[in-house]
Amino acid sequence: MKLWKYSGTLLTVTGVIHTIYALFLGKEAFAEMLNNGLIDSIGENQNLGFAFWFLICGIILILWGETLQYYIRKEQKPAPLFLGYFILLFTIIGCIVEPISGFWLFLPQALIIIYSNARFSQLPKQ
């Protein structure tokens, strides 16, 4: 099984988990924002701002994952190696700064991209 073919899907799933968690965790915050009329509803409230950005990050991960999956299907090769190293660095920094978090979810994705590039580059060219 070629795991690299699912790198984008894994990132999308991570984004879906992040988004669902954001909606579950921040349901009171989102209700308050809706009650405030959305426009400038966050103001200086850091809890509302945190909930909003937590949700936005999940949505961005979904978009990033779907874009990556499109690239993989179109090019029929793993995600670029630099992306694997970037995700690995992002994961390491995130786990150091916030050890009890979901940053560890990115580790398998980074390793799949890095490993797949090493394996893919060893295949004979057709």
Side-chain angles (χ1 to χ4, degrees), residues 3-68:
L3 283 177
W4 62 266
K5 289 191 173 191
Y6 305 101
S7 299
T9 302
L10 288 172
L11 200 53
T12 299
V13 169
T14 303
V16 168
I17 292 168
H18 202 277
T19 302
I20 290 170
Y21 191 68
L23 291 170
F24 177 75
L25 191 67
K27 61 186 170 199
E28 290 85 17
F30 296 123
E32 185 177 336
M33 283 188 270
L34 287 171
N35 288 335
N36 291 342
L38 278 186
I39 297 174
D40 198 24
S41 61
I42 294 174
E44 298 294 319
N45 188 323
Q46 291 182 355
N47 290 331
L48 298 181
F50 173 80
F52 177 74
W53 279 107
F54 201 82
L55 176 67
I56 294 300
C57 287
I59 293 168
I60 289 170
L61 287 172
I62 293 168
L63 293 171
W64 186 19
E66 289 301 301
T67 302
L68 182 57

Side-chain angles (χ1 to χ4, degrees), residues 54-106:
F54 201 82
L55 176 67
I56 294 300
C57 287
I59 293 168
I60 289 170
L61 287 172
I62 293 168
L63 293 171
W64 186 19
E66 289 301 301
T67 302
L68 182 57
Q69 198 58 36
Y70 174 80
Y71 168 86
I72 291 167
R73 276 194 302 267
K74 186 175 186 302
E75 298 297 323
Q76 288 298 300
K77 61 183 182 181
L81 184 59
F82 79 86
L83 185 60
Y85 283 118
F86 175 81
I87 294 172
L88 180 61
L89 180 64
F90 175 78
T91 303
I92 291 168
I93 292 170
C95 287
I96 289 170
V97 173
E98 191 176 4
I100 309 295
S101 70
F103 276 107
W104 59 270
L105 287 171
F106 293 104

